[in-house]
Amino acid sequence: MKIVLAQPRGFCAGVVRAIEIVERALEKYGPPVYVRHEIVHNRHVVESLKAKGARFIEELREAPPGALTIFSAHGVSRKVEDEARLMALPTIDATCPLVTKVHNESRRYVAQGRILVVIGHAGHPEIEGTLGQIEGKAHLVQNEQDVDGLAIAPDAPVAYVTQTTLSVDDTRGVIAALNRRFSDIQGPETRNICYATQHRQTAVRELARVADVIVVVGARNSSNSTRLREIGEQAGLPSYLVADGGEIDPQWFRGVNVVGVTAGASAPEVLVDDVVEALKRIAPSDVSVLDGPEESVSFRLPAELAL
């Protein structure tokens, strides 16, 4: 059996930065530190940080008075920021800089008097944070049908932003529907879309050209990992989302010659290695890596944690 790894795969720069923020905060201030929501959507990452002294909470009231609190990579609403100030909680913001860019764009469009449309998944923490960063009403759309249902005049000034874990391909149809519907509309350039999401989706499509089965390493509550599995299925291949090698089912690979393996942006490479070892136990395997872009993006840490 041949195992082919996608390139790129796994951690993106925003995830690397968020995890490093928690680790450095633990080193500098000592445990425990409190993190609102999972720092990234991966159980293995969360458990590893718990073992070092991080405590994960969903509401700020769960943090003791004066406890250092970190906002996750997904970003938070202004209400959460205000609540932290009222509680006098010292905070460090681990929001991905690309998510922060979406927040800033949203506020700029609203300040220009435009009606804001946010493209994304209802209930996703990034979307909740983005909607909560905007003064006044914003409209959430998840698909082209939602665009048709918007109660906005066709000639009204409109602007849109998108969830960062959606790629250009994911949003193309919705953006086209918005442009058909509204005569005065603005939105970010496609180069402002999250590079990591686009790269990983493109890599899965390339993987589907050579593989018989696709395995995506990632968490089930990870939007970008779930999308990678869907892309494999859309290419006509059996595609499976697994947390680690323990979830590999040998039945999936009967008669299979080539297994394609990739990982979502919040899945560490150690879990990819675990899956590869599980596959090798099923059949003797050669491992290769597809050609793909080498990512060199990195984001600076908050000033209080910089070396």
Side-chain angles (χ1 to χ4, degrees):
M1 193 164 70
K2 293 181 180 178
I3 301 170
V4 182
L5 304 180
Q7 173 64 33
R9 63 186 178 275
F11 277 177
C12 64
V15 166
V16 170
R17 175 180 180 270
I19 294 169
E20 189 172 358
I21 284 173
V22 178
E23 291 177 335
R24 288 210 185 180
L26 286 164
E27 291 172 7
K28 182 172 182 178
Y29 302 106
V33 300
Y34 289 78
V35 184
R36 185 187 180 277
H37 194 64
E38 292 183 347
I39 188 69
V40 296
H41 283 159
N42 189 278
R43 177 174 57 84
H44 289 268
V45 171
V46 168
E47 292 301 321
S48 173
L49 293 173
K50 278 184 180 178
K52 296 176 182 179
R55 301 288 179 266
F56 292 88
I57 58 176
E58 289 302 316
E59 302 295 339
L60 292 182
R61 62 175 178 269
E62 299 173 48
L68 178 65
T69 304
I70 297 173
F71 298 145
S72 80
H74 310 97
V76 298
S77 66
R78 285 187 170 181
K79 180 180 177 182
V80 171
E81 294 171 344
D82 292 342
E83 184 182 355
R85 279 191 289 270
L86 286 172
M87 296 173 66
L89 291 175
T91 61
I92 299 176
D93 190 357
T95 301
C96 173
L98 295 179
V99 175
T100 300
K101 188 174 185 179
V102 172
H103 293 173
N104 293 337
E105 288 174 337
S106 299
R107 287 192 287 266
R108 177 170 58 85
Y109 287 135
V110 171
Q112 293 171 353
R114 294 187 173 274
I115 300 169
L116 189 70
V117 176
V118 180
I119 304 170
H121 297 148
H124 190 282
E126 181 187 327
I127 287 298
E128 292 180 349
T130 298
L131 292 173
Q133 284 286 332
I134 302 159
E135 294 290 342
K137 182 175 175 55
H139 300 264
L140 174 64
V141 297
Q142 303 185 79
N143 50 49
E144 295 174 49
Q145 291 70 37
D146 289 346
V147 173
D148 294 337
L150 288 172
I152 303 172
D155 59 349
V158 172
Y160 65 86
V161 294
T162 73
Q163 182 177 325
T164 63
T165 51
L166 300 177
S167 70
V168 174
D169 297 330
D170 293 330
T171 59
R172 183 176 285 116
V174 177
I175 292 171
L178 286 168
N179 280 298
R180 287 193 301 269
R181 175 84 190 273
F182 301 107
S183 58
D184 181 4
I185 185 166
Q186 292 184 13
E189 297 179 28
T190 55
R191 62 184 173 83
N192 287 350
I193 300 288
C194 174
Y195 75 94
T197 299
Q198 190 64 47
H199 283 177
R200 280 150 188 73
Q201 293 189 10
T202 300
V204 168
R205 291 187 175 93
E206 292 301 313
L207 202 59
R209 295 175 183 269
V210 300
D212 304 311
V213 173
I214 299 285
V215 176
V216 179
V217 185
R220 284 171 178 77
N221 64 336
S222 165
S223 174
N224 72 87
S225 298
T226 299
R227 184 69 182 117
L228 294 179
R229 183 193 61 76
E230 292 171 350
I231 289 170
E233 283 189 343
Q234 289 168 0
L237 299 184
S239 301
Y240 305 98
L241 177 60
V242 300
D244 51 38
E247 295 187 355
I248 290 292
D249 184 345
Q251 300 295 327
W252 298 340
F253 309 101
R254 291 189 175 235
V256 168
N257 294 318
V258 182
V259 181
V261 178
T262 189
S266 52
E269 186 67 10
V270 65
L271 298 182
V272 176
D273 295 339
D274 189 47
V275 165
V276 168
E277 290 305 312
L279 292 170
K280 286 180 175 180
R281 289 192 290 272
I282 294 170
S285 303
D286 295 323
V287 181
S288 62
V289 181
L290 274 186
D291 289 334
E294 294 285 342
E295 294 175 345
S296 58
V297 176
S298 62
F299 296 129
R300 285 184 291 183
L301 295 174
E304 62 266 43
L305 296 177
L307 294 176

mmCIF file of all heavy atoms in Angstrom, residues 100 107 116 141 260 270:
data_model
loop_
_atom_site.group_PDB
_atom_site.id
_atom_site.type_symbol
_atom_site.label_atom_id
_atom_site.label_comp_id
_atom_site.label_asym_id
_atom_site.label_seq_id
_atom_site.Cartn_x
_atom_site.Cartn_y
_atom_site.Cartn_z
ATOM 1 N N THR A 100 -8.709 38.901 13.239
ATOM 2 C CA THR A 100 -8.708 40.311 13.645
ATOM 3 C C THR A 100 -8.867 41.223 12.430
ATOM 4 O O THR A 100 -9.564 42.242 12.478
ATOM 5 C CB THR A 100 -7.401 40.649 14.382
ATOM 6 O OG1 THR A 100 -7.298 39.825 15.555
ATOM 7 C CG2 THR A 100 -7.358 42.113 14.793
ATOM 8 N N ARG A 107 -15.810 46.574 10.834
ATOM 9 C CA ARG A 107 -16.063 47.881 11.452
ATOM 10 C C ARG A 107 -15.892 49.012 10.434
ATOM 11 O O ARG A 107 -16.643 50.001 10.458
ATOM 12 C CB ARG A 107 -15.135 48.069 12.649
ATOM 13 C CG ARG A 107 -15.525 47.224 13.855
ATOM 14 C CD ARG A 107 -14.779 47.660 15.100
ATOM 15 N NE ARG A 107 -13.385 47.255 15.050
ATOM 16 C CZ ARG A 107 -12.908 46.134 15.584
ATOM 17 N NH1 ARG A 107 -13.725 45.296 16.208
ATOM 18 N NH2 ARG A 107 -11.627 45.833 15.513
ATOM 19 N N LEU A 116 -23.798 45.325 6.574
ATOM 20 C CA LEU A 116 -22.808 44.250 6.560
ATOM 21 C C LEU A 116 -23.467 42.882 6.444
ATOM 22 O O LEU A 116 -24.420 42.564 7.163
ATOM 23 C CB LEU A 116 -21.953 44.295 7.823
ATOM 24 C CG LEU A 116 -20.750 43.348 7.797
ATOM 25 C CD1 LEU A 116 -19.697 43.826 6.800
ATOM 26 C CD2 LEU A 116 -20.130 43.209 9.181
ATOM 27 N N VAL A 141 -25.210 34.977 6.363
ATOM 28 C CA VAL A 141 -25.679 34.097 5.294
ATOM 29 C C VAL A 141 -24.755 32.886 5.221
ATOM 30 O O VAL A 141 -23.534 33.006 5.357
ATOM 31 C CB VAL A 141 -25.743 34.801 3.915
ATOM 32 C CG1 VAL A 141 -26.743 35.940 3.940
ATOM 33 C CG2 VAL A 141 -24.374 35.315 3.482
ATOM 34 N N GLY A 260 -4.524 8.580 0.634
ATOM 35 C CA GLY A 260 -4.132 9.969 0.777
ATOM 36 C C GLY A 260 -4.421 10.453 2.185
ATOM 37 O O GLY A 260 -5.502 10.205 2.720
ATOM 38 N N VAL A 270 2.102 15.277 14.908
ATOM 39 C CA VAL A 270 2.239 14.024 15.660
ATOM 40 C C VAL A 270 1.028 13.121 15.445
ATOM 41 O O VAL A 270 1.147 11.884 15.453
ATOM 42 C CB VAL A 270 2.464 14.312 17.165
ATOM 43 C CG1 VAL A 270 1.239 14.982 17.805
ATOM 44 C CG2 VAL A 270 2.810 13.038 17.922
#
